[in-house]
Amino acid sequence: DVTKSQTPATRTIGEQVTYSLTLTIPAGVRLFDGRIVDTLPDGMSFGSYGAITCTTGCGSALDGAITPFGTPGSGAPVQNPDGGTTIGWHLGDVVAFGSPRPVTRTYTLNYTATVDDTYDGTGTPAAGTPVAVGDTLTNAVQLVWNVTDKEATKPASPSLAGADGTS
């Protein structure tokens, strides 16, 4: 499960927003090729990836293995034709952790984005249209995985394509 919060709650043109994603992996869960995919809407520009912190159930091989897409050698955030930007984090294979009983693990992942002054995609509103006070800019985050191990290496960029499951 992935939830998201933002600071500040409302923002205006040119203002930076810090997003905090909370990833909760329930005890006993096993998934393959895990990744978190977050799509920023047209009207916002990706800033940078921030800290990744384990807050509950720490000590598994997953600690330190969560890496953002866009780091050197691993591709970059994807500019979508509609003006949005897709970013994400690679989790890899996630196995149950904890002995003798599996434990729930919780991670916090942070990144920044900025509200643009104009839209630049191919959708509505048209490219060049000013971002106006009251416009709603909503991004969507998903946890994506496979039920069997299909990826031998980390994909080049964040994507929902080819996944067996999402939440």
Side-chain angles (χ1 to χ4, degrees):
D1 184 36
V2 181
T3 59
K4 183 182 341 190
S5 62
Q6 66 186 38
T7 306
T10 60
R11 63 255 180 226
T12 189
I13 294 167
E15 189 171 39
Q16 181 173 311
V17 181
T18 299
Y19 289 99
S20 292
L21 308 179
T22 301
L23 167 65
T24 302
I25 303 171
V29 164
R30 179 181 179 125
L31 55 92
F32 296 94
D33 313 322
R35 56 196 179 272
I36 297 171
V37 178
D38 198 342
T39 304
L40 294 165
D42 189 5
M44 294 197 78
S45 293
F46 173 70
S48 63
Y49 291 105
I52 301 169
T53 308
C54 179
T55 55
T56 305
C58 307
S60 77
L62 190 57
D63 300 352
I66 300 173
T67 56
F69 289 100
T71 56
S74 65
V78 176
Q79 290 301 128
N80 304 321
D82 67 358
T85 304
T86 302
I87 65 168
W89 293 261
H90 185 257
L91 308 177
D93 299 337
V94 177
V95 297
F97 172 72
S99 179
R101 295 185 357 208
V103 297
T104 296
R105 291 166 285 173
T106 306
Y107 298 87
T108 302
L109 304 90
N110 297 295
Y111 72 93
T112 61
T114 303
V115 179
D116 297 332
D117 58 351
T118 60
Y119 293 97
D120 47 56
T122 57
T124 303
T129 303
V131 174
V133 172
D135 285 359
T136 301
L137 305 174
T138 304
N139 55 336
V141 64
Q142 291 184 287
L143 173 61
V144 182
W145 69 88
N146 291 317
V147 294
T148 59
D149 196 358
K150 297 179 181 178
E151 300 172 352
T153 60
K154 180 178 177 178
S157 61
S159 172
L160 299 175
D164 295 334
T166 63
S167 73

